[in-house]
Amino acid sequence: MKTHQERMARKKEVIDARIAKATEERGVLILLKGNGKGKSSSAFGTMARAVGHGQRAAVVQFSKGRLETGEYKLFKDHPQIDWYVMGHGFTWETQDKEQDIKAAEQAWAKAEQLLQDEQYDILIFDEMSYMFKYKYLELAPVLAALQARPNKQNVMITGRVMPEGLEEVADTISSIRDERHAFRLGVKAQEGIEY
C-alpha cells in the first residue's frame, strides 16, 4: 500500500506534466452560465484578482441598472476599472422592448469599443447572454469582435443560457447549478447577497 507521500509525489508528477504542456500565452473567453446564484459574483471576483495583479479592467452591465449593486459601489471609483451600467433592468421589469433593444445596442457599442482597446486586460460583460435570448443583439458581430480582440485580453460573459455559437469559441465554460435558493423559501433579496 502506497503512503500518502508516495501518492502525493505521483500526483505532483501528473500535475507538473500538465503544467509543462500549457505553453500558449493568450487571453481567454470565459462563460459563466446556469440558473444558480453566483455568476456575476464569480466574474467580479476574478476581476478583483486581475486588478490585484495591476491589470486594467472594464465592466459593461447589459441588464442591471434598477439598483446600484454593492460591487458597483465598491469598484466604480477604482482607478484601474471602468464601469458602464447600460441596462434599465431586466426586460420583465421594463416591459418596453424597443427601449431594451436600444439599451442593448448601446451596451454592445461600448463593449465593442472595449474589445478593440488593448489597454484592457480583462472585460466583464455582465448578463450579456440575455441579449441573445431575447434577440436584442445578433450573435455574428459579437463573435467577430471577440475573435479580433487583442491577443492577451480576457473576457468573461455571464448569463443563464449561452448561445451555441458563443460556447463553440469559449475557452472555459462554468455552469453554476441551482440546488436551492432562499428566495423560493420566501426570503427577501438583500443588499450584499443578491445585489
Side-chain angles (χ1 to χ4, degrees):
M1 183 171 199
K2 289 187 179 183
T3 67
H4 175 76
Q5 186 176 8
E6 290 171 327
R7 287 192 310 272
M8 292 303 107
R10 177 63 191 133
K11 185 171 188 159
K12 180 175 176 8
E13 287 176 19
V14 170
I15 291 171
D16 286 348
R18 288 181 186 160
I19 291 170
K21 286 182 180 180
T23 58
E24 187 178 2
E25 291 187 38
R26 64 172 175 82
V28 293
L29 172 60
I30 300 171
L31 306 181
L32 299 174
K33 68 176 195 169
N35 62 353
K37 176 182 170 16
K39 297 174 291 293
S40 297
S41 302
S42 177
F44 298 137
T46 302
M47 180 186 72
R49 176 182 288 161
V51 169
H53 284 288
Q55 296 180 19
R56 185 149 181 83
V59 175
V60 177
Q61 289 188 293
F62 279 79
S63 292
K64 292 174 180 160
R66 189 172 55 96
L67 297 170
E68 282 192 344
T69 62
E71 55 271 15
Y72 171 75
K73 289 178 178 184
L74 177 66
F75 291 128
K76 69 182 173 79
D77 296 322
H78 195 288
Q80 290 165 244
I81 301 171
D82 293 323
W83 199 291
Y84 305 94
V85 179
M86 307 295 288
H88 300 285
F90 291 102
T91 189
W92 56 87
E93 293 170 339
T94 66
Q95 299 179 18
D96 185 338
K97 186 174 182 178
E98 293 309 311
Q99 174 186 298
D100 292 344
I101 290 171
K102 185 175 180 182
E105 290 170 347
Q106 289 172 342
W108 169 241
K110 175 51 70 178
E112 188 174 29
Q113 178 185 359
L114 296 168
L115 284 165
Q116 297 169 17
D117 192 337
E118 55 187 43
Q119 77 169 315
Y120 292 100
D121 301 291
I122 186 167
L123 303 175
I124 309 296
F125 298 155
D126 190 36
E127 309 290 3
M128 185 185 204
S129 75
Y130 293 103
M131 304 306 106
F132 307 116
K133 178 181 179 180
Y134 294 118
K135 301 190 183 337
Y136 295 167
L137 291 177
E138 293 294 323
L139 183 59
V142 174
L143 293 175
L146 286 167
Q147 292 171 325
R149 74 186 192 273
N151 185 52
K152 299 254 176 123
Q153 192 178 73
N154 297 293
V155 179
M156 298 184 80
I157 298 175
T158 69
R160 286 185 175 226
V161 178
M162 296 291 168
E164 186 178 322
L166 204 49
E167 290 193 3
E168 287 172 2
V169 300
D171 297 291
T172 299
I173 302 173
S174 292
S175 189
I176 300 173
R177 193 166 56 106
D178 179 13
E179 291 188 22
R180 179 181 302 148
H181 198 291
F183 179 71
R184 289 193 306 279
L185 300 175
V187 179
K188 184 178 178 179
Q190 56 185 301
E191 288 181 353
I193 300 296
E194 275 78 34
Y195 61 93

